[in-house]
Amino acid sequence: MRLLLLAPPGAGKGTQGERLAARFGVRHIAAGDQLRAEARAGTPLGRQIAGFQERGDLVPDQIVLDMLIPVVVEAAAHGGYILDGFPRTLPQATAAAELGARLDVTLDATVYLHAPETVLTQRLLARAAQEGRTDDTADVIRHRFQVFAETTGPLIAYYRGRGILVEVDADQPPDSVTAGIESALSHGETPRIRSG
Ligand code: ADP
């Protein structure tokens, strides 16, 4: 199974990504987590990454590609992946598609998780109280939504055009969202998907 989760901040990519990876026995590749790990390591590259993340700006494509492509190649050789937060710009999507062609693999589906911005903002502010992520402040959250709309939004049309987009309502409890994803995948909304 090879899936991409495309979603605005707070929609539950991380939670659903973990569950889907366990369900299909493939690797969960969370771009934000990989980048945060590098930032925490405090290397010069990590310090650069931390700056972008704290401001709610995207990390430049080349940095992301250099970090994520080897991980995707490795996972592709071991049964697949749930991509969570990568690609999230058109240049990243193009590079990922070229890589796929080279490896002779294609995405089975792109799952677009959507919910009203007010709901997502409340979730992120609640999470801030628990996890203390430096980008979960009201101002930075607002900026992340803007970046999502401007830079990641075009990927919705890109994957719809490729005939692999499925849309799932993320304004429901986590179990219902998981069920919604599994049902969207198994109902053959994307022709390439078969059970398992
Ligand atoms: P969210 O989707 O809730 O913003 P993530 O953990 O997925 O949370 O991403 C957090 C931050 O990590 C982003 O605001 C951005 O700075 C960086 N990031 C994650 N994935 C990418 C990516 N594919 N390209 C560029 N930056 C990214």
Side-chain angles (χ1 to χ4, degrees), residues 43-90:
T43 59
L45 178 66
R47 283 198 293 276
Q48 226 183 314
I49 289 171
F52 291 108
Q53 288 192 315
E54 278 161 20
R55 291 189 296 273
D57 284 325
L58 293 185
V59 174
D61 288 333
Q62 199 54 55
I63 294 178
V64 173
L65 289 168
D66 287 348
M67 191 169 295
L68 270 299
I69 281 182
V71 182
V72 173
V73 170
E74 168 77 19
H78 293 90
Y81 36 71
I82 310 295
L83 297 177
D84 156 0
F86 169 81
R88 70 166 96 185
T89 68
L90 278 175

Side-chain angles (χ1 to χ4, degrees), residues 6-131:
L6 188 62
K13 288 191 303 316
T15 305
Q16 300 301 328
E18 271 173 32
R19 292 178 178 203
L20 293 167
R23 157 82 172 76
F24 294 112
V26 296
R27 174 138 189 220
H28 173 214
I29 302 177
D33 290 349
Q34 302 260 343
L35 292 163
R36 270 187 294 277
E38 184 72 28
R40 267 198 308 275
T43 59
L45 178 66
R47 283 198 293 276
Q48 226 183 314
I49 289 171
F52 291 108
Q53 288 192 315
E54 278 161 20
R55 291 189 296 273
D57 284 325
L58 293 185
V59 174
D61 288 333
Q62 199 54 55
I63 294 178
V64 173
L65 289 168
D66 287 348
M67 191 169 295
L68 270 299
I69 281 182
V71 182
V72 173
V73 170
E74 168 77 19
H78 293 90
Y81 36 71
I82 310 295
L83 297 177
D84 156 0
F86 169 81
R88 70 166 96 185
T89 68
L90 278 175
Q92 289 178 19
T94 310
E98 278 166 13
L99 175 69
R102 214 160 59 230
L103 300 174
D104 200 21
V105 296
T106 51
L107 280 176
D108 293 302
T110 293
V111 178
Y112 171 40
L113 299 174
H114 57 86
E117 192 172 316
T118 47
V119 170
L120 300 176
T121 302
Q122 286 313 313
R123 283 188 195 171
L124 291 168
L125 291 173
R127 180 175 80 184
Q130 290 163 1
E131 294 181 12

